[in-house]
Amino acid sequence: MVTRRVGGRNRGAVSVEHVVAAARVAGVLVMAFRIHVSLRRLEALVQEKQRRDTLTEYRRDHHRLIGRGTEDPSLLPVLDAYEGDLHPDTQRRHLFANALYQHAYQGYQLGVLSLADLHGHLRYIFQSRAMREYWEATRHHRASLVADSEEAELGRMVDALVVALEDAEADGDDWWVVGDAPERHP
């Protein structure tokens, strides 16, 4: 077999060198792509952490403001978003009920509670008649939510839970076995 020389080199040797060089370039490109994907994932994680931190701080501010309103009776009229006149004690109970509900909801949003855990926690706090009175008093607030929003879907879950709790109460059933935990995201 005869090998032709082109420019003083063996053609087969040039081909092997090209293949090796191409493999090295391909390896570098694959590594660069993996680094790019990893950086995108890291950026997404950082953005999610920032969103959660912001949400947590926002909720802390909310609770501080509500706390100030419940501690100082002169501030209660500012927080009166209920239909009809409420006694200040009832309004404070409603504000505390809202804080409990928001706390549970935030736990779910942050991943501290699963949907089943959230359902169980809400079943526990809504077995209280005062909590259900708050829920009824704020029905008009929930009516303004975007129908397919997470909060509106959660509100519908609580509505069904409240009905089940009231039925169980009327039938003399135990509250802790009421309602099935949803299987999907609210």
Side-chain angles (χ1 to χ4, degrees):
M1 177 166 159
V2 177
T3 305
R4 284 180 55 188
R5 294 188 177 266
V6 177
R9 296 190 121 190
N10 182 322
R11 181 179 263 196
V14 171
S15 295
V16 169
E17 288 175 6
H18 282 124
V19 168
V20 169
R24 286 182 181 149
V25 168
V28 168
L29 290 174
V30 167
M31 184 59 69
F33 179 74
R34 287 180 179 164
I35 290 170
H36 174 77
V37 168
S38 295
L39 285 173
R40 292 288 180 219
R41 286 182 185 151
L42 183 59
E43 287 172 358
L45 289 172
V46 167
Q47 287 175 347
E48 177 61 18
K49 182 181 181 330
Q50 288 172 339
R51 186 192 72 77
R52 287 174 181 249
D53 289 350
T54 300
L55 177 62
T56 300
E57 188 57 34
Y58 180 82
R59 293 281 169 83
R60 279 189 192 124
D61 287 344
H62 172 79
H63 289 291
R64 278 191 289 264
L65 290 168
I66 297 299
R68 287 181 62 195
T70 58
E71 292 167 5
D72 184 347
S74 70
L75 297 177
L76 280 176
V78 175
L79 297 171
D80 188 356
Y82 307 100
E83 294 177 346
D85 291 329
L86 291 180
H87 187 276
D89 290 340
T90 302
Q91 190 177 0
R92 277 194 287 276
R93 277 194 303 275
H94 284 359
L95 292 172
F96 182 71
N98 175 265
L100 287 176
Y101 174 75
Q102 290 295 326
H103 182 258
Y105 180 46
Q106 183 181 17
Y108 173 70
Q109 284 182 310
L110 295 175
V112 174
L113 298 175
S114 68
L115 184 57
D117 292 337
L118 175 63
H119 184 268
H121 185 69
L122 292 173
R123 178 175 51 209
Y124 168 71
I125 64 175
F126 276 95
Q127 61 84 31
S128 158
R129 170 81 29 214
M131 195 71 183
R132 293 192 305 248
E133 288 171 1
Y134 149 77
W135 194 250
E136 182 58 35
T138 58
R139 181 170 300 285
H140 66 285
H141 297 176
R142 291 184 302 285
S144 67
L145 295 172
V146 175
D148 64 345
S149 70
E150 180 180 72
E151 193 169 2
E153 290 182 25
L154 181 60
R156 287 188 293 275
M157 182 182 84
V158 173
D159 287 342
L161 186 58
V162 166
V163 168
L165 284 164
E166 289 179 350
D167 289 347
E169 188 176 277
D171 294 342
D173 294 334
D174 295 322
W175 63 266
W176 57 85
V177 295
V178 169
D180 295 322
E183 295 179 20
R184 65 174 195 87
H185 181 311

